[in-house]
Amino acid sequence: MSVEVLDGATIVSFVQDEEAFNASVHARFVKLDTDHDGLLSYDEMLAELQSLRVFEYHFGVDVKTDPDEVSRVYDAMLLQFDHDLNGTVDLKEFKEESKNMMLGIANGLGFLPVQMVLEEGSFLMNAVERELTKLAAV
């Protein structure tokens, strides 16, 4: 993890760079596809969501969460990715929803820079690294 500065424009630019964004999405998809069948199952995606501990951790402190509530939220998130409702997520669905998610974050951030703690290899970190590479080339 590292603290980085980014804004909505950095994210939008990353998403619009199809080569960079597609490479990032593909790498994440392959990492999540633990059985290497070209599809993400509910269990594969759930493992990733649970590893993030979004609901179990608040500003560095473990918090008690209702397992049923967490399960409902995870179910809703997984359904968001599964566009054809076949119980799995293919690369196309994963890419489309990842793009929607990133553009939603960009919209929420706006165009004023903010500092964020970013996970190595995350889409947001990839966006920042791409921006830094562009700036270094100037």
Side-chain angles (χ1 to χ4, degrees):
M1 285 195 213
S2 64
V3 177
E4 303 294 339
V5 176
L6 75 153
D7 63 6
T10 299
I11 298 168
V12 169
S13 177
F14 174 62
V15 170
Q16 289 175 341
D17 180 344
E18 286 193 31
E19 183 178 341
F21 183 69
N22 289 346
S24 182
V25 168
H26 185 265
R28 176 58 57 129
F29 186 89
V30 168
K31 179 182 176 203
L32 297 176
D33 184 17
T34 56
D35 64 5
H36 311 291
D37 67 351
L39 299 168
L40 298 180
S41 68
Y42 176 88
D43 289 338
E44 288 169 324
M45 290 194 67
L46 183 61
E48 175 72 3
L49 289 172
Q50 288 174 331
S51 75
L52 299 174
R53 300 190 66 221
V54 173
F55 300 106
E56 297 88 357
Y57 203 68
H58 185 69
F59 291 105
V61 177
D62 283 325
V63 294
K64 181 152 176 57
T65 55
D66 176 7
D68 290 335
E69 180 182 352
V70 172
S71 180
R72 283 191 301 274
V73 171
Y74 287 157
D75 287 346
M77 290 174 72
L78 294 168
L79 281 174
Q80 193 70 28
F81 278 84
D82 186 10
H83 297 172
D84 59 10
L85 303 175
N86 68 352
T88 60
V89 176
D90 62 29
L91 180 57
K92 181 181 178 208
E93 291 170 318
F94 187 73
K95 178 186 165 199
E96 288 174 14
E97 202 54 42
S98 296
K99 181 178 181 178
N100 291 339
M101 180 180 60
M102 291 290 287
L103 293 175
I105 293 169
N107 188 45
L109 284 178
F111 294 97
L112 294 175
V114 296
Q115 279 188 321
M116 294 178 74
V117 176
L118 301 178
E119 188 81 28
E120 293 299 323
S122 69
F123 291 147
L124 291 175
M125 180 60 102
N126 292 343
V128 168
E129 290 170 347
R130 179 186 167 278
E131 188 75 11
L132 291 172
T133 300
K134 283 177 32 185
L135 291 173
V138 173

